[in-house]
Amino acid sequence: MAIRVVVVDDQDMVRSGFAALLSAQSDIDVVGEAPNGRLGVEVSRHTHPDVVLMDVRMPEMNGLEATRQLLDPPRGVVHRPRVLMLTTFDIDDYIYEALHAGASGFLLKDAAVAELIQAVRVIAAGDALLAPSVTRRLIEDVTRRRPAAPRAARLRLNGLTPRETEVLSLVARGLSNTEIAARLVVAEQTVKTHMTRLLAKLGARDRAQLVVLAYESGLIVPGASPA
């Protein structure tokens, strides 16, 4: 079944260009477009996309508020798409808030075509788009400048086993399940089991929120070299 995508961007050429590029893929179906967050929410509620490609700065309603409305919908609305935020270097402040709102990843607006297509596939598969170095750098920058209740965040890690804590630290450094399995010399299915437990214990929606918690708690120190 094709991945259903809605593209939300106030720049007509950007929106149309993304939609055309994605529609050309045999496994992706662009089911809607919108020029602002308000209409993006409406279109998404009617079309039920798997992924919403969401710009941050838009008139009427920005991408951050639209993401909140899509991922924390009113009673009776059950569909929650995954949101891939479109960003540029000069709007880093939005990233921290977008992760907390439930966004699953970020993509620079000048990314290569192959990166755009792969990003949609990664998000649709249920993973977070956190591996690219640029995304890690943006997350580190925001969490360094805007720490949120580190003591409370540390307390949330108390219920983790040593292995789960180790897996969380590797997730936060951008490693995939395959890479974590290789690092720990365990089966990939074992890593997936740890991931399921981490999400449940920490009340996180996906990998993106696990990364935020790892930085907030001090488990990962921005700029520090991996152990």
Side-chain angles (χ1 to χ4, degrees):
M1 182 178 292
I3 301 168
R4 297 168 61 82
V5 176
V6 164
V7 181
V8 185
D9 194 297
D10 63 325
Q11 297 180 355
D12 291 344
M13 291 184 65
V14 172
R15 187 176 68 251
S16 299
F18 282 159
L21 290 170
L22 293 172
S23 294
Q25 307 306 305
S26 60
D27 61 336
I28 298 176
D29 184 13
V30 176
V31 296
E33 300 178 37
N36 59 61
R38 181 182 61 79
L39 290 176
V41 171
E42 291 182 11
V43 170
S44 296
R45 293 262 165 82
H46 284 96
T47 59
H48 293 180
D50 300 302
V51 176
V52 176
L53 197 60
M54 181 79 74
D55 189 18
V56 173
R57 289 181 173 173
M58 294 180 289
E60 294 194 46
M61 180 187 292
N62 65 34
L64 182 59
E65 179 57 30
T67 297
R68 288 196 186 102
Q69 291 195 18
L70 285 174
L71 302 181
D72 187 19
R75 189 168 186 157
V77 177
V78 297
H79 180 258
R80 289 178 174 84
R82 292 188 173 272
V83 177
L84 176 60
M85 304 294 296
L86 295 170
T87 186
T88 56
F89 280 115
D90 64 343
I91 51 176
D92 294 358
D93 286 338
Y94 284 93
I95 292 179
Y96 181 83
E97 296 177 50
L99 282 169
H100 273 280
S104 294
F106 301 88
L107 186 72
L108 293 178
K109 295 186 81 169
D110 61 355
V113 173
E115 290 179 300
L116 168 66
I117 296 167
Q118 180 62 16
V120 169
R121 289 171 177 157
V122 167
I123 297 301
D127 291 325
L129 191 68
L130 297 170
S133 60
V134 62
T135 304
R136 290 200 301 271
R137 187 170 69 200
L138 293 177
I139 292 172
E140 289 182 359
D141 180 60
V142 174
T143 51
R144 181 189 297 114
R145 290 185 288 109
R146 302 185 59 183
R151 181 178 299 176
R154 284 197 297 271
L155 289 174
R156 293 177 64 184
L157 302 189
N158 286 347
L160 302 182
T161 66
R163 179 62 93 182
E164 288 167 350
T165 301
E166 188 175 14
V167 171
L168 176 60
S169 70
L170 295 175
V171 169
R173 296 189 188 282
L175 274 67
S176 67
N177 286 352
T178 301
E179 292 168 332
I180 293 173
R183 177 74 67 88
L184 301 180
V185 194
V186 297
E188 188 170 348
Q189 184 57 50
T190 300
V191 176
K192 291 180 180 178
T193 299
H194 286 312
M195 284 296 303
T196 299
R197 290 173 179 166
L198 281 170
L199 292 170
K201 286 185 176 182
L202 298 177
R205 183 175 185 269
D206 57 21
R207 295 174 85 99
Q209 293 188 334
L210 289 178
V211 171
V212 171
L213 182 57
Y215 279 103
E216 286 182 347
S217 66
L219 178 64
I220 300 297
V221 178
S225 298

